[in-house]
Amino acid sequence: MFKTILLLAATTSIVAAQQAPTENGGHPLVSPDGNHIAFHSDRDGASDLYIMNADGSGVVRLTKGAGDKAISGWSADSKNVFYSVVAGDSAHVYSVSTSGADVASLGVFGARSVLVSPDGKSAVYGAGPWATLQLFTARIDGSGSRRLTPGSGGYSCSALSNDGRVATARSNSNGSQIWIFDPHTDESWQATDFPKLAGNPQCPAWSPDGRRLAVQSTSPDQVDPATRDGHIWLVRLDNGGATKLAEHASQYLDETPSWFPDGRRIAFQSNRTGRWEVWVMNVQGTDAHQLTQ
């Protein structure tokens, strides 16, 4: 098993995930009540945000128009999706109802990525050039901003726990590992120690009880990226033990995990059909099935 290493500071650069040609469904985020999944899709010709029922039915388009859109979270009552529209170094953050009818502006950040707390009152955001992206915390109106990360390197693909901790990917020339930052105590530590053959852990997702992370990791192949394969892993935070889910020899990617609140299932994106689709599997890696069509 991999061991957890306790450290106080880190530097990183961005590692981009391998992309499939089209995205019928990707980057899923399960609602707090487990009834809906928000996701990205270019099914209508432009990259926009959608939601669907947990069984894949009842798809509703939430956004329309220009801009690089990203899901920033769910409200605690599962009635609204938070999202950001990024242009350059500015991110405009919105709340939209699950019907797509009610849209409210929450704030504007000098940021490239934004995570909104479930109560809609605060945010964790990434600002600066991608290679040296730093994480900050602030109120939703942008006031009270303070830097969460140590000031050197860069941090990407972050996630908020139910108690406010931040898990994020830290990368350097040797690959990436997952780090955790606690805004309440200012403590930070490395949560994964994947060897190179296991790939580069990224895009962490907190389990409902906060004791585990689901992460994506792509086996490295710098010569021929088309032969890469990616898996979802479960990582225990008490000892760093990591388990690979739905192990496969075929060359496809399972990525961007999101837990259901029952702690028994994980939604994720996969290009195993030739394009990105949203899938769901049990936490044992069994019964993987496609939701988006």
Side-chain angles (χ1 to χ4, degrees):
M1 293 193 300
F2 308 149
K3 295 182 179 179
T4 303
I5 300 175
L6 302 182
L7 297 173
L8 294 179
T11 60
T12 183
S13 61
I14 302 301
V15 174
Q18 179 182 347
Q19 296 298 307
T22 59
E23 183 184 58
N24 193 50
H27 297 85
L29 188 63
V30 181
S31 62
D33 62 10
N35 292 330
H36 293 92
I37 301 174
F39 64 98
H40 288 246
S41 179
D42 59 12
R43 62 182 59 201
D44 293 319
S47 181
D48 274 298
L49 307 182
Y50 296 73
I51 64 165
M52 60 184 170
N53 297 326
D55 62 2
S57 65
V59 175
V60 175
R61 185 175 180 176
L62 297 180
T63 63
K64 292 182 180 180
D68 183 10
K69 307 172 192 71
I71 300 168
S72 297
W74 277 92
S75 62
D77 60 8
S78 298
K79 293 182 179 180
N80 294 277
V81 176
F82 303 128
Y83 70 97
S84 59
V85 180
V86 179
D89 294 330
S90 179
H92 200 144
V93 183
Y94 299 89
S95 172
V96 59
S97 64
T98 53
S99 68
D102 301 312
V103 181
S105 174
L106 299 182
V108 180
F109 292 81
R112 293 180 178 269
S113 62
V114 183
L115 296 174
V116 179
S117 62
D119 62 9
K121 296 180 179 180
S122 62
V124 172
Y125 63 97
W130 281 118
T132 56
L133 199 75
Q134 296 295 304
L135 299 183
F136 297 78
T137 62
R139 300 182 187 93
I140 198 63
D141 63 2
S143 64
S145 176
R146 68 183 181 92
R147 191 171 63 206
L148 186 61
T149 47
S152 58
Y155 299 81
S156 64
C157 210
S158 306
L160 280 171
S161 70
N162 290 333
D163 60 6
R165 290 173 293 167
V166 180
T168 186
R170 166 190 181 251
S171 308
N172 56 32
S173 59
N174 294 320
S176 68
Q177 299 293 341
I178 303 300
W179 280 67
I180 295 174
F181 293 84
D182 191 334
H184 306 296
T185 63
D186 290 328
E187 294 180 308
S188 60
W189 61 94
Q190 185 176 329
T192 63
D193 188 20
F194 278 34
K196 287 186 177 181
L197 290 178
N200 299 303
Q202 294 178 305
C203 296
W206 291 91
S207 65
D209 62 9
R211 297 179 180 179
R212 292 181 291 176
L213 294 174
V215 304
Q216 70 178 54
S217 187
T218 302
S219 298
D221 188 339
Q222 300 301 320
V223 177
D224 183 8
T227 65
R228 283 184 167 189
D229 64 279
H231 293 83
I232 305 296
W233 294 68
L234 296 188
V235 179
R236 291 178 51 175
L237 294 181
D238 59 351
N239 62 10
T243 304
K244 184 189 294 186
L245 302 185
E247 186 167 0
H248 55 263
S250 301
Q251 305 303 324
Y252 61 80
L253 307 178
D254 292 342
E255 296 185 339
T256 62
S258 177
W259 294 75
F260 279 81
D262 60 11
R264 299 176 180 178
R265 295 169 294 160
I266 291 174
F268 61 101
Q269 70 175 27
S270 180
N271 65 352
R272 61 181 72 190
T273 64
R275 64 180 182 181
W276 291 125
E277 302 280 5
V278 175
W279 289 65
V280 170
M281 63 180 167
N282 297 328
V283 292
Q284 296 82 11
T286 58
D287 191 29
H289 55 281
Q290 181 180 326
L291 291 186
T292 52
Q293 303 293 331

